[in-house]
């Protein structure tokens, strides 16, 4: 009797084990990404309480559908024309350290592109020798979807010997940047990026207008590619505008010492009546931009990455510039500046409301077991696709229930911050394209769906994105003929 019971117990155990192995095996099998696939075949459409429409799988390929390939910039003679050539180069930091980099035109940061508001911009990308391919994404510039530069979604990666032409009208004013969106977690880190500035047409910058790009090469923090103190000669009384750009995958704390200053703009949008700050640290999110302004003091000023040698001294002469003073607090845009009307007014009349909750959970990602990023409990590519219709007013609640910081970047649109942790935004309207969501935080944001396309919405910690913290916002009726994988080995992240 006892022997029989033992046999039954053993049989049950074996069945349980077989069951567990079968479940795990299926999860593993289902998680593997095919060599080639359309992002339209993945993602679970969510409609946020709004009208449902033909977007899912091949629904968008219908007769009334619009292809991403047709959502291109305007024709006609360009007002500003550039060529950027992607190639390998050894760059030398000020300390003498050599970096084996991927560059635009042999430099990193690549050439700063400056245009004026309203210009028709034409940029030809040529790939000389970057084997994995290159694209250019115009980070923060709300270009037509077909110019957005995402390999496998809006175009094919540009392989060695190939070219691709981008055309768009510069309809915003402010500080932006450009970077590859092919194997971006590796290629951006290695140097394929540069600053993109759109100046006002009728009020060209006066005084010193300096872009300051913070990037870490091989673990060494740099400003404008310099790992030691640089110098700008600026007479006292000169108006100064510093355009801080963080091209890293982690936030960076920048400091301004020697003068009070104002944060004039965030992510390419001017703030309303920004107040004076002093000894306040500027935590610039990965991919984010802060413009700061001040009048050059007699004693000089300094901008730098906190606690490092990467700094620029600004001074009227060759005299000393102030040493860094550690900030006593961090800048908080939520209550900075004063309110001003927004195109949304104070409406709560949203056409769609979405929830985007980030967690980590054990599972398989592309056949590999581990602790994975999840969106609303699902691991890529089983993540939601937020489906919208042109003209919709959309609300998204972004919640970070993980221990990592996630700078969430929606392509093609700017998000208006409504509240953080249920505290309403009370300062200047705060528009962001790369919103740093810290562990435990919850943001309510709003945007107008006014730029039809199939748009990436992903974490700009590019390693996180490559590990699956990525999804899409899709317009009803828009489809893409491009595929991830495919002949051009498209790998957007
Ligand atoms: Cu992240």
């Amino acid at each position: 009797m006892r022997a029989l019971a033992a046999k039954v117990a053993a049989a049950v155990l074996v069945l349980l084990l077989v069951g567990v192995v079968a479940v795990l095996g299926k999860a593993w099998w289902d998680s593997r990404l095919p060599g080639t696939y359309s992002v339209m075949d993945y993602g679970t459409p969510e409609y946020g309480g709004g009208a449902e429409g033909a977007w899912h799988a091949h629904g968008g390929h219908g007769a009334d559908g619009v292809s991403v390939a047709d959502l291109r910039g305007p024709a006609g003679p360009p007002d500003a024309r550039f060529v950027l050539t992607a190639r390998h180069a050894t760059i030398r930091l000020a300390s003498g350290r050599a970096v084996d980099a991927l560059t635009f035109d042999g430099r990193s940061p690549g050439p700063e592109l400056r245009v004026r508001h309203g210009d028709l911009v034409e940029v030809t990308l040529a790939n000389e020798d970057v084997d994995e391919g290159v694209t250019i994404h115009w980070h923060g510039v709300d270009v037509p979807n077909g110019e957005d530069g995402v390999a496998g979604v809006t175009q094919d990666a540009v392989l060695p010997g190939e070219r691709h032409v981008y055309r768009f009208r510069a309809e915003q004013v402010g500080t932006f940047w450009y970077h590859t969106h092919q194997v971006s977690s590796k290629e951006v880190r290695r140097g394929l990026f540069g600053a993109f500035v759109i100046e006002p047409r009728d009020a060209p910058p006066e005084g010193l207008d300096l872009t300051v790009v913070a990037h870490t090469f091989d673990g060494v923090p740099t400003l404008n590619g310099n790992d030691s103190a640089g110098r700008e000669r600026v007479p006292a009384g000169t108006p100064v505008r510093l355009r801080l750009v963080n091209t890293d995958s982690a936030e960076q704390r920048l400091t301004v010492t020697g003068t009070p200053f104002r944060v004039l703009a965030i992510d390419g949008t001017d703030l309303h009546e920004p107040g004076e700050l002093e000894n306040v640290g500027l935590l610039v999110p990965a991919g984010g931009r802060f413009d700061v302004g001040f009048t050059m003091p007699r004693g000089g000023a300094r901008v730098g990455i906190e606690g490092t040698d990467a700094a620029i001294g600004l001074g009227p002469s060759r005299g000393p510039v102030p040493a860094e003073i550690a900030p006593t607090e961090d800048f908080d845009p939520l209550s900075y500046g004063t309110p001003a009307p927004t195109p949304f007014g104070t409406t709560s009349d949203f056409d769609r409301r979405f929830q985007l909750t980030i967690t980590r959970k054990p599972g398989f990602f592309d056949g590999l077991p581990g602790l994975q990023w999840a969106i609303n409990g699902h691991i890529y590519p089983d993540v939601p696709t937020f489906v919208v219709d042109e003209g919709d007013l959309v609300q998204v609640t972004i919640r970070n229930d993980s221990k990592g910081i996630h700078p969430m970047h929606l392509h093609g649109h700017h998000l208006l911050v409504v509240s953080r942790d249920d505290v309403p935004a009370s300062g200047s309207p705060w528009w962001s394209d790369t919103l740093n969501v810290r562990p435990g935080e919850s943001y309510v944001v709003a945007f107008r769906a006014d730029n039809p396309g199939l748009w990436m919405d992903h974490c700009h910690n590019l390693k996180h994105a490559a590990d699956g913290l990525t999804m899409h916002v899709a317009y009803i009726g828009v489809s893409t003929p491009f595929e991830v994988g495919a002949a051009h080995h498209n790998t957007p992240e």
Side-chain angles (χ1 to χ4, degrees), residues 405-406 459 461 464 469:
I405 297 173
H406 304 299
C459 180
N461 180 325
H464 292 180
L469 199 31

Side-chain angles (χ1 to χ4, degrees), residues 15-92:
L15 277 175
L16 269 174
L17 275 173
V18 167
V20 167
V21 167
V23 167
L24 283 177
K26 184 173 186 322
W28 168 78
W29 183 264
D30 290 349
S31 81
R32 295 168 321 135
L33 295 167
T36 295
Y37 67 96
S38 169
V39 295
M40 299 182 64
D41 293 334
Y42 283 83
T44 308
E46 288 187 8
Y47 297 93
E52 305 194 1
W55 193 88
H56 188 222
H58 297 284
H61 295 280
D64 328 323
V66 179
S67 169
V68 161
D70 295 327
L71 296 170
R72 301 300 301 267
D79 303 296
R81 187 179 240 158
F82 305 94
V83 177
L84 292 172
T85 302
R87 62 181 170 91
H88 285 262
T90 300
I91 57 169
R92 210 160 279 282

